[in-house]
Each structure stands twice: as structure tokens, then as C-alpha cells.
Coordinates of all heavy atoms in Angstrom, one line a residue:
V1 N -126.1 6.5 -176.9 CA -124.7 6.2 -177.0 C -124.3 5.9 -178.4 O -125.0 4.9 -178.9 CB -124.3 5.1 -175.9 CG1 -122.8 4.8 -176.1 CG2 -124.6 5.5 -174.5
H2 N -123.4 6.5 -179.0 CA -123.0 6.2 -180.3 C -121.6 5.6 -180.2 O -120.7 6.1 -179.5 CB -122.8 7.5 -181.2 CG -124.1 8.1 -181.5 ND1 -124.6 8.3 -182.7 CD2 -125.1 8.6 -180.7 CE1 -125.7 8.9 -182.7 NE2 -126.1 9.1 -181.4
T3 N -121.4 4.4 -180.9 CA -120.2 3.8 -181.0 C -119.9 3.4 -182.5 O -120.8 3.5 -183.3 CB -120.1 2.5 -180.2 OG1 -120.9 1.5 -180.8 CG2 -120.6 2.7 -178.8
T4 N -118.7 2.9 -182.7 CA -118.3 2.5 -184.1 C -119.2 1.2 -184.4 O -119.3 0.9 -185.6 CB -116.9 2.2 -184.3 OG1 -116.4 1.2 -183.3 CG2 -116.0 3.4 -184.1
E5 N -119.7 0.6 -183.5 CA -120.5 -0.7 -183.6 C -122.0 -0.4 -183.8 O -122.7 -1.2 -184.3 CB -120.3 -1.6 -182.5 CG -118.9 -2.0 -182.2 CD -118.2 -2.7 -183.3 OE1 -118.9 -3.6 -183.9 OE2 -117.1 -2.4 -183.6
G6 N -122.4 0.8 -183.4 CA -123.8 1.1 -183.6 C -124.3 2.1 -182.5 O -123.5 2.7 -181.8
K7 N -125.6 2.4 -182.4 CA -126.2 3.3 -181.5 C -127.0 2.6 -180.5 O -127.7 1.6 -180.8 CB -127.1 4.3 -182.3 CG -126.4 5.2 -183.3 CD -127.5 6.0 -184.0 CE -126.8 6.7 -185.2 NZ -127.8 7.5 -185.9
Y8 N -126.9 3.1 -179.2 CA -127.6 2.4 -178.1 C -128.3 3.4 -177.3 O -127.8 4.5 -177.1 CB -126.6 1.6 -177.3 CG -125.7 0.6 -178.1 CD1 -124.5 1.0 -178.6 CD2 -126.2 -0.6 -178.3 CE1 -123.8 0.1 -179.4 CE2 -125.4 -1.5 -179.1 CZ -124.2 -1.1 -179.6 OH -123.5 -2.0 -180.4
I9 N -129.4 3.0 -176.6 CA -130.1 3.8 -175.7 C -129.6 3.4 -174.3 O -129.5 2.2 -174.0 CB -131.6 3.6 -175.8 CG1 -132.0 4.1 -177.2 CG2 -132.4 4.3 -174.7 CD1 -133.5 3.8 -177.5
S10 N -129.3 4.4 -173.5 CA -128.8 4.2 -172.1 C -129.8 4.8 -171.1 O -130.3 5.9 -171.3 CB -127.5 4.8 -172.0 OG -127.1 4.8 -170.6
S11 N -130.0 4.1 -170.0 CA -130.8 4.7 -168.9 C -130.0 5.5 -168.0 O -130.5 6.1 -167.1 CB -131.5 3.5 -168.2 OG -130.5 2.7 -167.6
H12 N -128.7 5.6 -168.2 CA -127.8 6.3 -167.4 C -127.7 7.8 -167.8 O -127.7 8.1 -169.1 CB -126.4 5.7 -167.3 CG -126.3 4.3 -166.8 ND1 -126.6 4.0 -165.4 CD2 -126.1 3.1 -167.4 CE1 -126.5 2.7 -165.3 NE2 -126.2 2.2 -166.4
N13 N -127.4 8.7 -166.9 CA -127.2 10.1 -167.3 C -125.8 10.4 -167.6 O -124.9 9.5 -167.4 CB -127.8 11.0 -166.1 CG -127.1 10.8 -164.8 OD1 -125.9 10.3 -164.8 ND2 -127.7 11.2 -163.7
M14 N -125.5 11.6 -168.0 CA -124.2 12.0 -168.4 C -123.2 12.0 -167.2 O -122.0 11.6 -167.4 CB -124.1 13.5 -169.0 CG -124.8 13.5 -170.3 SD -123.9 12.5 -171.6 CE -122.5 13.5 -171.8
S15 N -123.6 12.3 -166.0 CA -122.8 12.2 -164.9 C -122.2 10.8 -164.7 O -121.1 10.5 -164.4 CB -123.5 12.6 -163.6 OG -122.7 12.5 -162.5
Y16 N -123.1 9.8 -164.9 CA -122.7 8.4 -164.8 C -121.6 8.1 -165.8 O -120.5 7.5 -165.5 CB -123.9 7.4 -165.0 CG -123.4 6.0 -165.2 CD1 -123.2 5.2 -164.2 CD2 -123.2 5.5 -166.5 CE1 -122.8 3.8 -164.4 CE2 -122.8 4.2 -166.7 CZ -122.6 3.4 -165.6 OH -122.2 2.1 -165.9
W17 N -121.8 8.5 -167.1 CA -120.9 8.2 -168.2 C -119.5 8.9 -167.9 O -118.5 8.4 -168.2 CB -121.5 8.5 -169.5 CG -122.5 7.5 -169.9 CD1 -123.8 7.7 -170.0 CD2 -122.3 6.1 -170.1 NE1 -124.5 6.5 -170.3 CE2 -123.5 5.5 -170.4 CE3 -121.1 5.3 -170.2 CZ2 -123.7 4.2 -170.7 CZ3 -121.3 4.0 -170.5 CH2 -122.5 3.4 -170.8
Q18 N -119.6 10.2 -167.4 CA -118.4 10.9 -167.1 C -117.5 10.2 -166.1 O -116.3 10.1 -166.2 CB -118.7 12.4 -166.7 CG -119.2 13.2 -167.9 CD -119.6 14.6 -167.4 OE1 -120.2 14.7 -166.3 NE2 -119.4 15.5 -168.2
K19 N -118.1 9.6 -165.1 CA -117.4 8.9 -164.1 C -116.9 7.5 -164.6 O -115.8 7.1 -164.3 CB -118.3 8.7 -162.9 CG -118.5 9.9 -162.1 CD -119.5 9.7 -161.0 CE -119.8 11.0 -160.3 NZ -121.0 10.9 -159.4
A20 N -117.7 6.9 -165.4 CA -117.3 5.5 -166.0 C -116.3 5.6 -167.0 O -115.5 4.7 -167.2 CB -118.6 4.9 -166.5
L21 N -116.2 6.7 -167.7 CA -115.3 6.9 -168.8 C -114.2 8.0 -168.6 O -113.9 8.8 -169.4 CB -116.0 7.3 -170.1 CG -117.1 6.3 -170.6 CD1 -117.9 6.9 -171.7 CD2 -116.5 5.0 -171.0
K22 N -113.6 7.9 -167.4 CA -112.7 8.9 -166.9 C -111.2 8.5 -167.2 O -110.4 8.9 -166.5 CB -112.9 9.3 -165.5 CG -112.7 8.1 -164.5 CD -112.9 8.6 -163.1 CE -112.6 7.4 -162.2 NZ -112.8 7.7 -160.8
D23 N -110.9 7.7 -168.2 CA -109.6 7.2 -168.4 C -108.7 8.2 -169.1 O -107.5 7.8 -169.5 CB -109.6 5.9 -169.1 CG -110.1 6.0 -170.6 OD1 -110.4 7.1 -171.0 OD2 -110.0 4.9 -171.3
G24 N -109.1 9.4 -169.5 CA -108.2 10.4 -170.1 C -108.5 10.6 -171.6 O -108.0 11.6 -172.1
C25 N -109.1 9.7 -172.2 CA -109.4 9.9 -173.6 C -110.8 10.4 -174.0 O -111.1 10.7 -175.1 CB -109.0 8.6 -174.4 SG -110.1 7.3 -174.1
F26 N -111.6 10.6 -173.0 CA -113.0 11.1 -173.1 C -113.0 12.5 -172.6 O -112.5 12.8 -171.6 CB -114.0 10.2 -172.4 CG -114.3 8.9 -173.1 CD1 -113.5 7.8 -172.8 CD2 -115.2 8.8 -174.1 CE1 -113.7 6.6 -173.4 CE2 -115.4 7.6 -174.7 CZ -114.7 6.5 -174.4
V27 N -113.7 13.4 -173.4 CA -113.8 14.8 -173.0 C -115.3 15.2 -173.3 O -115.9 14.8 -174.3 CB -112.8 15.6 -173.8 CG1 -113.0 15.5 -175.3 CG2 -112.8 17.1 -173.4
S28 N -115.8 16.1 -172.4 CA -117.1 16.6 -172.6 C -117.1 17.8 -173.6 O -116.3 18.7 -173.4 CB -117.7 17.1 -171.3 OG -119.0 17.7 -171.5
T29 N -117.8 17.8 -174.7 CA -117.8 18.9 -175.7 C -119.1 19.6 -175.7 O -119.2 20.7 -176.4 CB -117.5 18.3 -177.1 OG1 -118.6 17.4 -177.4 CG2 -116.2 17.6 -177.1
H30 N -120.1 19.2 -175.1 CA -121.4 19.8 -175.0 C -122.2 19.1 -173.9 O -121.8 18.0 -173.5 CB -122.1 19.5 -176.4 CG -123.4 20.2 -176.6 ND1 -124.6 19.7 -176.2 CD2 -123.7 21.4 -177.2 CE1 -125.6 20.5 -176.5 NE2 -125.0 21.6 -177.1
R31 N -123.2 19.6 -173.4 CA -123.9 19.0 -172.3 C -124.4 17.6 -172.5 O -124.6 16.9 -171.6 CB -125.0 19.9 -171.8 CG -126.2 20.1 -172.7 CD -127.2 21.0 -172.1 NE -128.2 21.4 -173.1 CZ -129.4 20.9 -173.3 NH1 -129.8 20.0 -172.4 NH2 -130.2 21.3 -174.2
G32 N -124.6 17.2 -173.8 CA -125.0 15.9 -174.2 C -124.0 15.0 -174.9 O -124.4 14.0 -175.4
Y33 N -122.7 15.5 -174.8 CA -121.7 14.7 -175.6 C -120.5 14.4 -174.7 O -119.9 15.3 -174.1 CB -121.3 15.5 -176.8 CG -122.3 15.6 -177.9 CD1 -123.3 16.5 -177.8 CD2 -122.3 14.7 -179.0 CE1 -124.3 16.6 -178.8 CE2 -123.3 14.8 -180.0 CZ -124.2 15.8 -179.9 OH -125.2 15.8 -180.9
L34 N -120.0 13.2 -174.8 CA -118.7 12.8 -174.3 C -118.0 12.2 -175.5 O -118.6 11.3 -176.2 CB -118.8 11.7 -173.2 CG -119.1 12.2 -171.8 CD1 -119.2 11.0 -170.9 CD2 -118.1 13.2 -171.3
V35 N -116.9 12.7 -175.9 CA -116.2 12.3 -177.1 C -114.9 11.6 -176.8 O -114.1 12.0 -175.9 CB -115.9 13.6 -178.0 CG1 -115.0 13.3 -179.1 CG2 -117.1 14.2 -178.4
N36 N -114.7 10.4 -177.5 CA -113.4 9.7 -177.4 C -112.4 10.4 -178.3 O -112.6 10.3 -179.5 CB -113.7 8.2 -177.8 CG -112.5 7.3 -177.6 OD1 -111.3 7.8 -177.6 ND2 -112.7 6.1 -177.4
M37 N -111.4 11.0 -177.7 CA -110.4 11.7 -178.6 C -109.6 10.8 -179.5 O -109.0 11.3 -180.4 CB -109.5 12.5 -177.6 CG -110.2 13.6 -176.9 SD -109.2 14.7 -175.9 CE -108.9 13.7 -174.5
N38 N -109.6 9.5 -179.3 CA -108.9 8.6 -180.2 C -109.5 8.6 -181.6 O -108.8 8.1 -182.5 CB -108.9 7.2 -179.6 CG -108.0 7.0 -178.5 OD1 -106.8 7.2 -178.6 ND2 -108.5 6.5 -177.3
Y39 N -110.8 9.0 -181.7 CA -111.5 8.9 -183.0 C -111.7 10.2 -183.7 O -112.3 10.3 -184.7 CB -112.8 8.2 -182.8 CG -112.6 6.8 -182.4 CD1 -112.6 6.3 -181.1 CD2 -112.5 5.8 -183.4 CE1 -112.4 5.0 -180.8 CE2 -112.4 4.5 -183.1 CZ -112.3 4.1 -181.8 OH -112.2 2.7 -181.5
I40 N -111.1 11.3 -183.1 CA -111.3 12.6 -183.7 C -110.5 12.8 -185.0 O -109.3 12.5 -184.9 CB -110.9 13.8 -182.7 CG1 -112.0 13.8 -181.5 CG2 -110.9 15.1 -183.4 CD1 -111.6 14.8 -180.4
L41 N -111.1 13.2 -186.0 CA -110.5 13.4 -187.3 C -110.1 14.9 -187.4 O -109.0 15.2 -187.6 CB -111.4 13.1 -188.4 CG -110.9 13.3 -189.9 CD1 -109.6 12.5 -190.1 CD2 -111.9 13.0 -190.9
N42 N -111.0 15.8 -187.1 CA -110.8 17.2 -187.0 C -112.0 17.9 -186.3 O -112.9 17.3 -186.0 CB -110.6 17.8 -188.4 CG -111.7 17.5 -189.3 OD1 -112.9 17.7 -189.0 ND2 -111.4 17.1 -190.6
Y43 N -111.8 19.2 -186.1 CA -112.9 20.0 -185.4 C -112.8 21.4 -185.9 O -111.8 21.9 -186.4 CB -112.8 19.9 -183.9 CG -111.5 20.5 -183.3 CD1 -111.5 21.9 -183.0 CD2 -110.4 19.7 -183.1 CE1 -110.3 22.4 -182.5 CE2 -109.2 20.3 -182.6 CZ -109.2 21.6 -182.3 OH -108.1 22.2 -181.7
D44 N -114.0 22.1 -185.8 CA -114.0 23.5 -186.1 C -114.7 24.2 -184.9 O -114.8 23.6 -183.8 CB -114.6 23.8 -187.4 CG -116.0 23.3 -187.5 OD1 -116.8 23.2 -186.5 OD2 -116.5 23.0 -188.6
D45 N -115.2 25.4 -185.1 CA -115.8 26.1 -184.0 C -117.1 25.5 -183.4 O -117.5 25.9 -182.3 CB -116.0 27.6 -184.4 CG -114.7 28.3 -184.6 OD1 -113.8 27.9 -183.9 OD2 -114.7 29.3 -185.3
G46 N -117.7 24.6 -184.1 CA -119.0 24.1 -183.6 C -119.2 22.6 -183.7 O -120.1 22.1 -183.2
N47 N -118.3 21.9 -184.4 CA -118.5 20.5 -184.7 C -117.2 19.7 -184.6 O -116.1 20.3 -184.8 CB -119.1 20.2 -186.0 CG -120.5 20.8 -186.2 OD1 -121.4 20.3 -185.5 ND2 -120.6 21.8 -187.0
I48 N -117.3 18.4 -184.2 CA -116.2 17.5 -184.2 C -116.5 16.4 -185.2 O -117.6 15.8 -185.2 CB -116.0 17.0 -182.8 CG1 -115.7 18.1 -181.8 CG2 -114.9 15.9 -182.8 CD1 -115.6 17.7 -180.4
C49 N -115.6 16.1 -186.1 CA -115.7 15.0 -187.0 C -114.8 13.8 -186.6 O -113.8 14.0 -186.0 CB -115.3 15.5 -188.4 SG -116.3 16.9 -189.0
F50 N -115.3 12.6 -186.9 CA -114.6 11.4 -186.5 C -114.1 10.6 -187.7 O -114.7 10.6 -188.8 CB -115.6 10.6 -185.6 CG -116.1 11.3 -184.5 CD1 -117.4 11.9 -184.5 CD2 -115.4 11.3 -183.3 CE1 -117.9 12.6 -183.4 CE2 -115.9 12.0 -182.2 CZ -117.1 12.6 -182.2
R51 N -113.1 9.8 -187.4 CA -112.6 8.9 -188.4 C -113.6 7.7 -188.4 O -113.9 7.1 -187.4 CB -111.2 8.3 -188.0 CG -110.1 9.3 -188.1 CD -108.7 8.6 -187.9 NE -108.6 7.8 -186.7 CZ -108.3 8.2 -185.6 NH1 -108.0 9.4 -185.4 NH2 -108.2 7.3 -184.6
G52 N -114.0 7.3 -189.6 CA -114.9 6.2 -189.8 C -116.3 6.3 -189.3 O -117.0 5.3 -189.1
Y53 N -116.8 7.5 -189.0 CA -118.1 7.7 -188.5 C -118.6 9.0 -189.1 O -118.0 10.1 -189.0 CB -118.0 7.8 -187.0 CG -119.4 7.7 -186.3 CD1 -120.0 6.4 -186.3 CD2 -119.9 8.7 -185.7 CE1 -121.3 6.4 -185.7 CE2 -121.2 8.6 -185.1 CZ -121.9 7.4 -185.1 OH -123.1 7.3 -184.5
E54 N -119.8 9.0 -189.8 CA -120.3 10.2 -190.5 C -120.9 11.3 -189.6 O -120.8 12.4 -189.9 CB -121.3 9.7 -191.5 CG -120.7 9.0 -192.7 CD -121.7 8.6 -193.7 OE1 -122.7 9.3 -193.8 OE2 -121.5 7.7 -194.5
E55 N -121.5 10.9 -188.5 CA -122.2 11.9 -187.6 C -121.1 12.7 -186.9 O -120.0 12.2 -186.6 CB -123.1 11.2 -186.7 CG -124.3 10.5 -187.4 CD -125.4 10.2 -186.4 OE1 -125.7 10.9 -185.5 OE2 -125.9 9.0 -186.6
K56 N -121.5 13.9 -186.6 CA -120.7 14.9 -185.9 C -121.2 15.1 -184.5 O -122.3 14.8 -184.2 CB -120.6 16.2 -186.7 CG -120.1 16.1 -188.1 CD -120.2 17.5 -188.8 CE -119.6 17.3 -190.2 NZ -119.7 18.6 -190.9
A57 N -120.2 15.5 -183.6 CA -120.6 15.9 -182.3 C -120.5 17.4 -182.2 O -119.7 18.1 -182.8 CB -119.6 15.3 -181.3
F58 N -121.4 18.0 -181.3 CA -121.4 19.4 -181.1 C -120.2 19.8 -180.2 O -119.8 19.1 -179.3 CB -122.7 19.9 -180.5 CG -123.9 19.8 -181.4 CD1 -124.9 19.0 -181.0 CD2 -123.9 20.5 -182.6 CE1 -126.1 18.9 -181.8 CE2 -125.0 20.3 -183.4 CZ -126.1 19.6 -183.0
L59 N -119.7 21.0 -180.5 CA -118.6 21.6 -179.6 C -119.2 22.9 -179.2 O -119.3 23.8 -179.9 CB -117.3 21.7 -180.4 CG -116.2 22.5 -179.6 CD1 -115.9 21.7 -178.3 CD2 -115.0 22.6 -180.5
A60 N -119.6 23.0 -177.9 CA -120.2 24.2 -177.3 C -119.1 25.3 -177.2 O -118.0 25.0 -176.9 CB -120.8 23.9 -175.9
T61 N -119.5 26.5 -177.5 CA -118.7 27.6 -177.5 C -118.0 27.8 -176.1 O -116.8 28.0 -175.9 CB -119.4 28.9 -177.8 OG1 -120.0 28.8 -179.1 CG2 -118.5 30.1 -177.8
R62 N -118.8 27.5 -175.0 CA -118.3 27.7 -173.7 C -117.3 26.6 -173.3 O -116.6 26.7 -172.3 CB -119.4 27.8 -172.6 CG -120.2 26.5 -172.5 CD -121.4 26.8 -171.5 NE -122.2 25.5 -171.5 CZ -122.0 24.5 -170.7 NH1 -120.9 24.5 -169.9 NH2 -122.7 23.5 -170.6
K63 N -117.3 25.5 -174.0 CA -116.4 24.4 -173.7 C -115.2 24.3 -174.7 O -114.3 23.5 -174.6 CB -117.1 23.0 -173.8 CG -118.1 22.9 -172.6 CD -118.7 21.6 -172.5 CE -119.5 21.4 -171.2 NZ -119.6 20.1 -170.7
A64 N -115.2 25.1 -175.7 CA -114.2 25.0 -176.8 C -112.8 25.2 -176.3 O -111.9 24.5 -176.7 CB -114.6 26.0 -177.9
K65 N -112.5 26.2 -175.5 CA -111.2 26.5 -175.0 C -110.6 25.3 -174.2 O -109.5 24.9 -174.5 CB -111.2 27.8 -174.2 CG -109.8 28.2 -173.8 CD -109.8 29.6 -173.0 CE -108.5 30.0 -172.5 NZ -108.5 31.3 -171.9
K66 N -111.4 24.8 -173.3 CA -111.0 23.7 -172.5 C -110.8 22.5 -173.3 O -109.8 21.7 -173.2 CB -112.0 23.4 -171.4 CG -111.6 22.3 -170.5 CD -112.6 22.1 -169.3 CE -112.2 21.0 -168.4 NZ -113.1 20.8 -167.3
F67 N -111.7 22.2 -174.3 CA -111.6 21.1 -175.2 C -110.3 21.1 -176.0 O -109.6 20.2 -176.1 CB -112.8 21.0 -176.2 CG -112.5 20.1 -177.4 CD1 -112.5 18.8 -177.3 CD2 -112.2 20.7 -178.6 CE1 -112.3 17.9 -178.3 CE2 -111.9 19.9 -179.7 CZ -111.9 18.5 -179.5
K68 N -110.0 22.3 -176.6 CA -108.8 22.5 -177.4 C -107.5 22.2 -176.6 O -106.6 21.5 -177.1 CB -108.7 23.9 -178.0 CG -109.8 24.1 -179.1 CD -109.8 25.5 -179.6 CE -110.9 25.7 -180.5 NZ -111.0 27.1 -181.0
K69 N -107.5 22.6 -175.3 CA -106.3 22.3 -174.5 C -106.3 20.8 -174.2 O -105.2 20.2 -174.3 CB -106.4 23.1 -173.2 CG -105.2 22.8 -172.3 CD -105.1 23.6 -171.0 CE -104.0 23.3 -170.1 NZ -103.1 22.2 -170.4
Q70 N -107.4 20.3 -173.8 CA -107.4 18.8 -173.5 C -107.0 18.0 -174.7 O -106.2 17.0 -174.6 CB -108.8 18.4 -173.0 CG -109.1 18.8 -171.6 CD -110.5 18.4 -171.2 OE1 -111.5 18.9 -171.7 NE2 -110.6 17.5 -170.2
Y71 N -107.5 18.4 -175.9 CA -107.2 17.6 -177.1 C -105.7 17.8 -177.4 O -105.0 16.8 -177.8 CB -108.1 18.0 -178.2 CG -107.9 17.2 -179.4 CD1 -108.2 15.8 -179.4 CD2 -107.5 17.8 -180.7 CE1 -108.0 15.0 -180.5 CE2 -107.3 17.0 -181.8 CZ -107.6 15.6 -181.7 OH -107.4 14.9 -182.8
N72 N -105.2 19.0 -177.4 CA -103.7 19.2 -177.6 C -102.9 18.4 -176.7 O -101.9 17.8 -177.1 CB -103.4 20.7 -177.7 CG -103.9 21.4 -178.9 OD1 -104.1 20.8 -179.9 ND2 -104.2 22.7 -178.7
D73 N -103.2 18.4 -175.4 CA -102.5 17.7 -174.4 C -102.5 16.2 -174.7 O -101.5 15.5 -174.6 CB -103.0 17.9 -173.0 CG -102.7 19.3 -172.5 OD1 -101.9 20.0 -173.1 OD2 -103.3 19.7 -171.4
F74 N -103.7 15.7 -175.1 CA -103.9 14.3 -175.5 C -103.0 13.9 -176.7 O -102.3 12.9 -176.7 CB -105.4 14.0 -175.8 CG -105.7 12.7 -176.2 CD1 -105.7 11.6 -175.3 CD2 -105.9 12.4 -177.6 CE1 -106.0 10.3 -175.8 CE2 -106.2 11.1 -178.0 CZ -106.2 10.1 -177.1
I75 N -103.0 14.8 -177.7 CA -102.2 14.5 -178.9 C -100.7 14.5 -178.5 O -100.0 13.7 -179.0 CB -102.5 15.5 -180.0 CG1 -104.0 15.3 -180.5 CG2 -101.5 15.4 -181.2 CD1 -104.2 14.0 -181.1
N76 N -100.3 15.5 -177.8 CA -98.9 15.6 -177.3 C -98.5 14.3 -176.6 O -97.4 13.8 -176.7 CB -98.7 16.8 -176.6 CG -98.6 18.1 -177.5 OD1 -98.4 18.0 -178.6 ND2 -99.0 19.2 -176.9
S77 N -99.4 13.8 -175.7 CA -99.0 12.7 -174.9 C -98.9 11.4 -175.8 O -98.2 10.5 -175.4 CB -100.1 12.4 -173.8 OG -101.3 11.9 -174.3
M78 N -99.7 11.4 -176.8 CA -99.6 10.3 -177.8 C -98.3 10.2 -178.6 O -97.8 9.2 -179.0 CB -100.8 10.2 -178.7 CG -102.1 10.2 -178.0 SD -102.4 8.6 -177.2 CE -102.6 7.5 -178.5
N79 N -97.7 11.4 -178.8 CA -96.5 11.5 -179.6 C -95.2 11.4 -178.8 O -94.1 11.5 -179.3 CB -96.5 12.9 -180.3 CG -97.5 13.1 -181.3 OD1 -97.9 12.0 -181.9 ND2 -98.1 14.2 -181.5
K80 N -95.4 11.0 -177.5 CA -94.1 10.9 -176.6 C -93.7 9.4 -176.7 O -94.3 8.5 -176.9 CB -94.4 11.3 -175.2 CG -94.6 12.7 -175.1 CD -94.8 13.1 -173.6 CE -95.0 14.6 -173.5 NZ -95.2 15.1 -172.2

């Protein structure tokens, strides 16, 4: 688990984290990644960059279309 405070090892699987973090700002971008959309700086076809964090998250090709829609919806809801 990567946070702005540091990195942590978790004994829980991704299914657990997807259920625990289902508040609308987290999105699955790869089989091993859940991304908090509040921290996205930008993205391209394979990576997501974050504000204030140097490491990137993978964006799987098969998840890219759904991610882009979810992220655009998220941004639009923030601008209301």
C-alpha cells in the first residue's frame, strides 16, 4: 500500500481493499493497483502520475477506457 505518508505491507488482498475503499474516489487501474483519483496529476496510455508522489501506477490497456470514463465523471462531479 502506497500513501503520501509512506509504503506499507498489507495482508489483505485487492478484493478487500476494493470493498473497503468504495467511496467513489478509488478506481482499479491494473490488477495490482487501486488509485485515489484525488491525487492524479495526469495519465497516458500506460501510466498514472500523482501530485506530490514520484512513483507511477500502471494503467492496463484493458482498463483504460473504463478508467478514463470514471476519471472524467469524477472530475466533472468535483466541478459542480
Side-chain angles (χ1 to χ4, degrees):
V1 177
H2 292 239
T3 72
T4 56
E5 305 296 319
K7 298 177 188 178
Y8 305 92
I9 296 174
S10 173
S11 61
H12 298 291
N13 61 22
M14 288 299 288
S15 178
Y16 168 85
W17 288 110
Q18 287 173 323
K19 290 174 186 169
L21 301 171
K22 62 179 180 179
D23 70 357
C25 66
F26 286 90
V27 61
S28 176
T29 63
H30 188 271
R31 67 184 167 101
Y33 289 83
L34 282 177
V35 169
N36 185 333
M37 293 185 280
N38 285 305
Y39 291 92
I40 293 176
L41 178 63
N42 58 46
Y43 64 90
D44 60 27
D45 289 334
N47 293 293
I48 298 171
C49 299
F50 302 97
R51 288 190 312 270
Y53 194 70
E54 290 185 23
E55 293 193 40
K56 297 177 182 179
F58 292 121
L59 177 56
T61 303
R62 65 182 179 83
K63 293 192 174 203
K65 185 176 179 179
K66 183 177 179 181
F67 163 77
K68 290 174 186 177
K69 179 175 180 354
Q70 286 177 293
Y71 186 61
N72 286 332
D73 290 348
F74 177 77
I75 293 299
N76 288 335
S77 72
M78 299 298 286
N79 292 329
K80 290 183 178 180

